[in-house]
Each structure stands twice: as structure tokens, then as C-alpha cells.
Amino acid sequence: MQRSPYTPGEVTAFLPGRETHMVRLRVQMQHVADEKAFIARPRVYVGSRGVGKTSLLRYGQRAARERGLTPVWITAGDADLLPVLSAELEKLTRAWHSAAAQEIASLIRNLELSVSVAGLGATASPGQGRSTAEAPGQALEALIAATAHSLHRHGGGLAIFIDELQAADHTALKALAYAWQHLRSRDESPLPATLVAAGLGHTSDVVTDAATFGERFEFVRLKDLSREAAYNALSEPAIKFGVSWQYQAVEAVLEKAHGYPHFLQLWAHAAWESAGFPDPGGTITLGAVEASEDEVLEQLDVFYRTRWGKATPAERELLRAIALQSSPAPRRADVAAAMGKPTTAISMARRSLMDKGILDSPARGLLAFTAPGFSSYILEQDGTED
Ligand SMILES: Nc1ncnc2c1ncn2[C@@H]1O[C@H](COP(=O)(O)OP(=O)(O)OP(=O)(O)O)[C@@H](O)[C@H]1O
Ligand SMILES: [Mg+2]
């Protein structure tokens, strides 16, 4: 009996279909490490929930570490981002016991002060406080420059990774965009630093809403896996365990998962278990896939029900209208028209569903569900439960 090599709900280090992105990440980290380069455009991997963003970002973190860079990892959304970032930088530099560490500690306090003043700005009377403290973007710029310089003196550099960027607060996004814009034009000694992030499909809207320089970020969309990549995602982990997939079994899972990484892992994991945790030399048959079907469908039901449960009545109305369209990625205007509303009337529900990771915009003006099969699930609802 061997445990399943599949990773439903877990980050994976095996990333078929992402080879081009992995090469770019490696080259980028090498560029920062070897040439002490500052990478002027922050890169943001965007895509639907469960498409593999965090897994790729973790790959970038490992690539940075392998090149001798110091990675700093943060996940946005739980708390305001800048205090979390400064706490991570403080952790990093606390052990240094050098003048540089003291400088960084004082820059961290500056940043904290600027953030609290910016926070007050919303409620305080005009002019209060702001003139005495720097803006968060300036404070962040100085902090990142000092940290990168210090790391450089020890032969390294700074690589910042931010997951769930779409959930970052407005102040932090603005400060990040400002700091990166200004760092690129600092013509002092080498500043080895890079910023890579990941977020849901509408992250570019969130970033450009918050920051004037937001459009200078590079947004790279991760899509569902090609047939070949999905095939490799199933077969390669099994081969490592000496197990093979019957042709019909692979075909069945490929068809059920539609190239969506999250579903591929669910189906493959369940098939492995119903094949009896095969020993080396074993085979996963179509029978095993079929035997796992009830269990997977139950999990999918929970998956869809959770999403449906998160939607408000107005959002459900929009979801139903999308599900009723014949195209899998209908035009926003067509959906609104079918609801008898102007496009602007659905924009709040649309944005909120995007924040919840239920809806995506695969291209400008288009709408699509983030998971295959959700449309059928919605149409199966009788509409009386809300
Ligand atoms: N290239 C890939 N091939 C096969 N499976 C993958 C690949 N990338 C990720 N996965 C799997 O897909 C699922 C989702 O991965 P991951 O958590 O990295 O996605 P995500 O886009 O960050 O999701 P979320 O938006 O929910 O945070 C996991 O089960 C992971 O093991
Ligand atoms: Mg993730």
C-alpha cells in the first residue's frame, strides 16, 4: 500500500503545464542574484481559485532561495499588508546586530508611523499629521532600498512574494506601486530586489483602482491545464510510485476535470484510494475511477454548495443569468440585457462575486465561472431556496 501522490487542496511542487513560467522565474531570480538587478515591473500571476497560483509562487520562492536571495512571503487579506510586511522584514533583520539593522528598524518604525497617520487621514481634520510623517509609499521605498542594500552587502538580495494580492488593502497597494515606481529610478548602487505576486482574475482592476502606477505591473494569466499537461499531472506522480494508469481511466479523469487543477487532483486522489493504494507494479483502472465517483461527486457538491451559499440573493440572480447563457464566457452586456438591466446595475454583484472567487473575467467584458460544472449546479437548483 502506497499513499496517494496527488495533492487535492495542497500546494504542489510538481507543476506540469507551467514550464514557461518556471523558467522565467528562475531566470528572473538569477538576474537579481548575479547582476544585482532591480526588477522594475512587479509580476502578478492571476487566475481562478484552484488554478495553481500559490503553487507557482512557492516555486518562485524556492528559486529565489536557491539563488541565494532572501525570500519574504506574505499572504494578503488577513490584516493590513504593510504592517505584516514590515514585521517580516523586522524578523529578518533582528538577528543582524549591525548598524544596518538599526537603520532598518528605524525605517520600519517610520513605515508604521506613516501607515497609522494615513489611517488617521480618513477621519482626522485636513492637514493634521500628514505634514510631519512621510506617505507610506515613501517610507516603504526607503525601507526596501535599505533592506536590499544590506542583503547585497552580504552577497544576496531581496525577493518579496505576495499571495492573494486582490485582498490587499488600498493603502498597501498604493504604497507598493509608488515604492516600486520610485525604486526603479533610484540611480544609486545596486539594488537587488524583485516583487512577485499572485491573485484572483480581477487583481489588475483592484491594483489599478488603488494606484496610479498600477498599470506598470505585469499581469500574467494562469489558465486551466492543456490536455498534455493534465495528462502529465495524472501519470507522472504515479510513475514515480511504479504505478500506471489504464488509458481509459486517464481519459475518464481528463474528461471530468476539464483541465482544472483542483478537480484533477480530487479525481486522481480518489481513484488512487479506490484502486486500493496500489503497490509498485499496480494499475489504476477505469473501474477504480468509476468506483470513486460517488465520493468525488459528494465533494464537488460541497464545493459548489459552499460557493452558492456565499452568494447574496442579488448575486445569485446574476449567477443564474450567467448559467443560462449558452456561451461558457458570455459578454457582460448580454448577461445584463438578459436580466433586463443596464450593465452598470450588475457591477456591484459582479465585483463582489469576483472578490469571493466565484466569478472571473477571462477577458475584457466577459464573465465566466471559476470552476467547471458550476453552471449545471446552478441550473439544478430550483431557485426556491433563497
Ligand atoms: N500545474 C499543476 N498541475 C496539477 N495540479 C496542480 C498544478 N498546480 C496546482 N495544482 C493543484 O491544484 C490545486 C490548486 O493549487 P493552488 O493552491 O496552487 O491554486 P491557487 O490558484 O493558489 O488556488 P486558490 O485561488 O484557492 O488559492 C492544488 O490541489 C494543487 O495541488
Ligand atoms: Mg492560492
Side-chain angles (χ1 to χ4, degrees):
M1 298 234 288
Q2 301 186 92
R3 67 162 180 88
S4 152
Y6 300 104
T7 53
E10 277 170 46
V11 160
T12 173
F14 177 52
L15 298 168
R18 306 295 186 223
E19 293 79 9
T20 319
H21 301 302
M22 291 156 78
V23 170
R24 281 179 71 190
L25 279 167
R26 284 204 301 277
V27 170
Q28 176 174 345
M29 298 308 156
Q30 181 178 357
H31 188 43
V32 177
D34 294 356
E35 288 158 55
K36 312 300 166 205
F38 176 75
I39 306 295
R41 284 179 91 195
R43 175 164 333 128
V44 188
Y45 293 106
V46 297
S48 299
R49 282 244 165 273
V51 81
K53 304 176 296 294
T54 304
S55 299
L56 184 62
L57 205 59
R58 285 288 179 197
Y59 177 85
Q61 182 190 27
R62 288 196 297 280
R65 201 174 279 131
E66 274 161 24
R67 284 284 161 186
L69 301 177
T70 300
V72 170
W73 179 283
I74 40 186
T75 303
D78 198 26
D80 285 351
L81 191 82
L82 292 177
V84 177
L85 175 58
S86 61
E88 284 301 315
L89 293 175
E90 186 162 28
K91 246 193 264 169
L92 184 76
T93 52
R94 199 179 293 148
W96 287 1
H97 301 300
S98 60
Q102 280 175 17
E103 185 199 351
I104 289 169
S106 108
L107 290 169
I108 286 173
R109 280 192 297 280
N110 260 359
L111 177 62
E112 287 166 351
L113 176 69
S114 72
V115 171
S116 59
V117 171
L120 274 181
T123 48
S125 55
Q128 189 182 335
R130 270 191 190 277
S131 53
T132 52
E134 281 175 314
Q138 279 174 298
L140 182 64
E141 177 194 345
L143 174 59
I144 288 176
T147 311
H149 277 311
S150 299
L151 289 167
H152 173 234
R153 274 197 294 276
H154 298 92
L158 179 65
I160 300 177
F161 297 90
I162 307 179
D163 200 7
E164 303 282 351
L165 188 68
Q166 83 287 340
D169 54 295
H170 207 272
T171 306
L173 288 172
K174 203 171 153 188
L176 273 173
Y178 177 95
W180 235 259
Q181 170 70 13
H182 282 251
L183 284 166
R184 84 178 79 190
S185 46
R186 273 167 101 109
D187 48 2
E188 35 187 289
S189 55
L191 194 90
T194 182
L195 168 61
V196 189
L200 290 174
H202 65 307
T203 307
S204 58
D205 295 347
V206 178
V207 172
T208 44
D209 281 357
T212 336
F213 308 123
E215 72 277 8
R216 302 205 181 133
F217 283 43
E218 179 191 11
F219 295 96
V220 179
R221 184 165 273 272
L222 294 189
K223 299 198 176 130
D224 285 342
L225 300 180
S226 67
R227 199 186 143 77
E228 190 194 352
Y231 178 89
N232 291 338
L234 292 183
S235 59
E236 299 271 326
I239 289 170
K240 286 215 175 93
F241 279 49
V243 171
S244 55
W245 279 75
Q246 201 185 43
Y247 175 74
Q248 294 92 327
V250 174
E251 285 298 313
V253 172
L254 290 184
E255 201 191 311
K256 289 169 193 300
H258 301 277
Y260 180 43
H262 177 62
F263 284 3
L264 264 179
Q265 299 292 343
L266 272 184
W267 280 103
H269 184 78
W272 184 278
E273 290 193 351
S274 71
F277 301 88
D279 285 322
T283 303
I284 297 180
T285 61
L286 178 61
V289 175
E290 286 168 351
S292 69
E293 186 149 8
D294 283 351
E295 193 199 315
V296 178
L297 292 182
E298 237 168 74
Q299 292 182 42
L300 292 185
D301 192 62
V302 174
F303 174 89
Y304 294 132
R305 195 158 6 113
T306 313
R307 289 175 177 224
W308 186 245
K310 282 197 224 160
T312 64
E315 291 163 11
R316 288 180 181 187
E317 196 194 336
L318 174 58
L319 292 175
R320 272 199 204 93
I322 296 170
L324 283 167
Q325 297 281 315
S326 51
S327 159
R331 282 167 20 126
R332 201 192 326 170
D334 294 343
V335 175
M339 294 167 77
K341 293 182 175 177
T343 315
T344 46
I346 61 166
S347 57
M348 252 178 67
R350 170 180 157 270
R351 177 65 176 257
S352 165
L353 286 166
M354 288 181 164
D355 285 336
K356 291 175 183 172
I358 298 174
L359 209 58
D360 202 354
S361 176
R364 215 180 147 68
L366 302 186
L367 293 174
F369 296 122
T370 54
F374 195 43
S375 176
S376 320
Y377 176 87
I378 293 170
L379 297 177
E380 280 162 21
Q381 307 296 305
D382 62 11
T384 55
E385 79 292 343
D386 58 11

